[in-house]
Amino acid sequence: MIEVLWHGRGGQGAFTAARLLGAAASLADGRHALAFPAFGPERRGAPIRAFTKMADEPVGNRSAIAKADYVVYLDDTLLGEGWDGELKPGGMVLVNSTRTFDDERIVALDADGISSAVLDRPIPNTVFLGALAALCDRVSIEDVEEAIRQYMPAKLHEKNLAIARKAMEAVGHRPEQAQLPICHPERAQRVEGSSASATESAPTEPRRPDAHIPTLRTGALDPEKFARSTCFEAGYLTVKNAGWRNMRPVIDAASCTGCLQCYLLCPDGTVFKVGEPAAEGAPVAIDYDFCKGCGVCAKACRFGSITMIPESEADAQPPCHPERSTEGAKSKDPARRQPADQGTQRQESEADAR
């Protein structure tokens, strides 16, 4: 697997570039790719990251990239101390900069200048697609051009195709290119001036360990842990992380009709179905260990059965659900979710609510 880590700022098109690279790398049969972003504050200029994973098999690991074959900086102000900690052995950094760097692993490219010459404004993302086409054996310039044609609006094709070509030529004609490290032997064929001896001595990529599904590491609700672990490791939560909630949803079992809209729309999957509800219990319940108090479930409930209350009042409320039932959560059988003796009560409650 070849992994690319993108660093940029909101508005520079880092995720667009990650997607286009993934598309270019998966055009051929038997080639697969995955691209996804990681946003911080959602505003223009805020630092963001994006990831592209390319392999010969379907990519199932959706966790963030910690160490990459290529690390791309669309803004050179993001290239700070410790940058090499994100780089695999033999990897390289591509940075949008006019500066010169002493480290041979850093390739500086005036992406703002190249894009401004064509677009009349600095949008550096597609510049690095052309650069990667020159350096990475996974994608050719033809693949990049086809991805641009398929995934960008037609009015943007001509100029972005020109940018990608210019970037590839700029990287291919760098006088110091012969000294660049080679991460994979095949990359030498893409870079003009690469020596045969460098190709022969290139290290082989170590085999990555098999992926596994992380499990809950601790039952404690510790801010020191949950503040740094939301959606780490393939999208799974590994510690309880509801500590910042100041409002919590409470279900009124008497008026709940079991429509399951709250269950379907909860963004964190904390609303779950109860396999065998008590006589006066609701058919759904809430896992407060992971509920963020966003209120989506309360807004989705058409019958007003879910109320948001302050956490300060939560202790005075009776428990609204039993312990989570794994069997019930997996059950798709409406008969198990709604015993016959409760069906009439729920229909009457629905009629009253209307």
Side-chain angles (χ1 to χ4, degrees), residues 237-261:
L237 295 171
T238 54
V239 297
K240 296 181 180 180
N241 65 344
W244 58 75
R245 181 182 64 230
N246 53 24
M247 300 286 288
R248 74 161 57 189
V250 175
I251 300 174
D252 178 16
S255 61
C256 177
T257 64
C259 68
L260 299 183
Q261 288 302 301

Side-chain angles (χ1 to χ4, degrees), residues 5-62:
L5 170 58
W6 300 80
H7 288 281
R9 295 190 180 275
Q12 289 187 310
F15 181 41
T16 297
R19 288 175 54 242
L20 288 171
L21 178 62
S26 57
L27 289 173
D29 291 340
R31 293 292 182 97
H32 304 269
L34 177 68
F36 54 98
F39 294 105
E42 295 188 12
R43 60 177 175 82
R44 191 174 186 85
I48 72 163
R49 294 185 302 162
F51 314 96
T52 307
K53 301 183 179 186
M54 301 172 283
D56 291 328
E57 298 177 353
V59 182
N61 185 350
R62 296 175 179 269

Side-chain angles (χ1 to χ4, degrees), residues 119-306:
L119 299 173
D120 294 326
R121 55 177 178 163
I123 303 179
N125 56 349
T126 49
V127 175
F128 288 99
L129 294 178
L132 287 168
L135 299 171
C136 180
D137 64 287
R138 276 278 156 181
V139 289
S140 66
I141 189 63
E142 291 77 19
D143 294 332
V144 169
E145 290 175 339
E146 184 61 25
I148 289 173
R149 293 188 186 97
Q150 289 191 23
Y151 294 97
M152 296 188 80
K155 64 181 181 181
L156 302 179
H157 288 177
E158 181 179 355
K159 291 184 176 180
N160 281 283
L161 292 172
I163 288 173
R165 282 283 178 180
K166 285 180 178 292
M168 184 177 182
E169 293 171 2
V171 172
H173 289 87
R174 287 173 54 87
E176 67 271 28
Q177 199 65 47
Q179 283 76 45
L180 284 175
I182 305 299
C183 302
H184 298 273
E186 296 86 346
R187 290 179 194 168
Q189 301 174 5
R190 300 286 184 194
V191 183
E192 183 176 326
S194 295
S195 64
S197 59
T199 302
E200 294 172 359
S201 61
T204 59
E205 184 179 16
R207 185 177 183 276
R208 295 176 65 87
D210 293 336
H212 69 283
I213 297 177
T215 57
L216 192 67
R217 295 181 187 145
T218 175
L221 192 58
D222 185 355
E224 286 295 322
K225 299 184 184 301
F226 71 68
R228 295 177 175 82
S229 62
T230 303
C231 280
F232 272 19
E233 300 191 29
Y236 289 88
L237 295 171
T238 54
V239 297
K240 296 181 180 180
N241 65 344
W244 58 75
R245 181 182 64 230
N246 53 24
M247 300 286 288
R248 74 161 57 189
V250 175
I251 300 174
D252 178 16
S255 61
C256 177
T257 64
C259 68
L260 299 183
Q261 288 302 301
C262 56
Y263 165 78
L264 295 171
L265 297 176
C266 176
D268 289 298
T270 60
V271 180
F272 62 95
K273 293 182 284 186
V274 178
E276 297 180 358
E280 297 180 356
V284 292
I286 298 168
D287 187 343
Y288 290 124
D289 286 338
F290 295 97
C291 172
K292 311 300 187 306
C294 66
V296 169
C297 56
K299 293 179 181 178
C301 182
R302 298 174 55 192
F303 307 103
S305 301
I306 301 179

